Amino acid sequence: MSGQGLEVTGLTVHVAGRALLDAVSFEAPAGAVTALVGPNGAGKSTLLRALVGAQRMVGGEASVGGVPLSSIPRRERARIVALVEQDAHTDLALSVRDTVALGRIPHDSLWRNPDARSVRIVEEALHSLSIEHLADRHIGTLSGGERQRAFVAQALAQEPVLLLLDEPTNHLDVAAQLHLLELLTTLAASGLTVVTALHDLSHASAYSQQTVALAGGRVVAAGASEAVLTPELVESLYGVRAMRTNNPITGRSTFAFGPG
């Protein structure tokens, strides 16, 4: 399934009789970062949870490489799809290394020690997020940003085909934000399908190739980021004035905002 993208068709989620997602359809190609944008309550987190199977769908389907995710057994799905939630945490008394190693559970037997390959993958995930120096620390002693990076590393250790992230730059300082966004770009370039909710529209504009804009649980625009993330769309979604320009340091696309 490696190198094959995500297709979402008519995905609908109801909670207490209210439609949180209403016939959501879009494609997220492999080899690209797809950003989910939209105001608070637009349905971004609900969509990500539905894709990983944590939120029940009442209609529609999501497929990876043409295979419906609903048809894949839970353990096998965990080898394909990984989700990093916005405020990921664990109540287990684990070191950072052991927390990252939880990502290997879908691949390794619960009854034997991890093999050399799994050990290597965990160490590579720690290195990718620049948290090797935290490996022996208790996960509960970390700052919010350090903990967030540990859970992104856990997702990478899972070796997914589809990587989902809900506001992954949450709690991170500026340097860590840029490091993570560059990492996501590198991972996508290697063939991974990356779908991430982003609050910062400048991040979405600079680091995503595809964008899905949501409002009220519906898709209002989807496609190439340059075509979707227009000042007009931003103004209609958020009620602010917007201007797209280039970052004078990086040359990447960015946004400036003013009161509506």
Side-chain angles (χ1 to χ4, degrees), residues 58-195:
V58 298
E61 186 57 88
S63 302
V64 173
V67 180
L69 291 175
S70 61
S71 71
I72 302 173
R74 182 176 295 273
R75 183 176 174 85
E76 185 178 344
R77 185 192 285 201
R79 297 178 189 143
I80 297 168
V81 186
L83 169 64
V84 182
E85 299 195 72
Q86 186 172 149
D87 291 300
H89 69 281
T90 179
D91 295 324
L92 300 175
L94 297 174
S95 70
V96 172
R97 179 179 283 106
D98 288 341
T99 299
V100 174
L102 292 177
R104 299 303 303 161
I105 287 177
H107 301 274
D108 295 338
S109 169
L110 295 175
W111 310 114
R112 67 169 185 256
N113 291 329
D115 60 22
R117 181 174 182 275
S118 284
V119 171
R120 174 177 55 79
I121 288 169
V122 168
E123 295 304 317
E124 289 175 350
L126 290 165
H127 177 72
S128 293
L129 275 299
S130 300
I131 53 173
E132 309 100 307
H133 63 293
L134 301 174
D136 295 321
R137 287 264 302 274
H138 187 293
I139 189 73
T141 69
L142 302 187
S143 69
E146 291 169 337
R147 189 166 56 249
Q148 189 78 346
R149 283 188 283 165
F151 283 104
V152 174
Q154 182 188 95
L156 295 187
Q158 201 169 322
E159 291 188 297
V161 172
L162 171 61
L163 177 61
L164 308 173
L165 307 102
D166 192 359
E167 302 288 358
T169 57
N170 195 24
H171 305 303
L172 300 184
D173 62 31
V174 173
Q177 288 180 26
L178 296 178
H179 175 79
L180 176 58
L181 291 165
E182 292 287 0
L183 174 61
L184 296 182
T185 300
T186 300
L187 291 170
S190 73
L192 190 64
T193 303
V194 179
V195 179

Side-chain angles (χ1 to χ4, degrees), residues 219-239:
V219 174
V220 296
S225 294
E226 184 175 356
V228 171
L229 288 172
T230 63
E232 294 76 18
L233 178 83
V234 172
E235 290 172 15
S236 69
L237 284 179
Y238 298 93

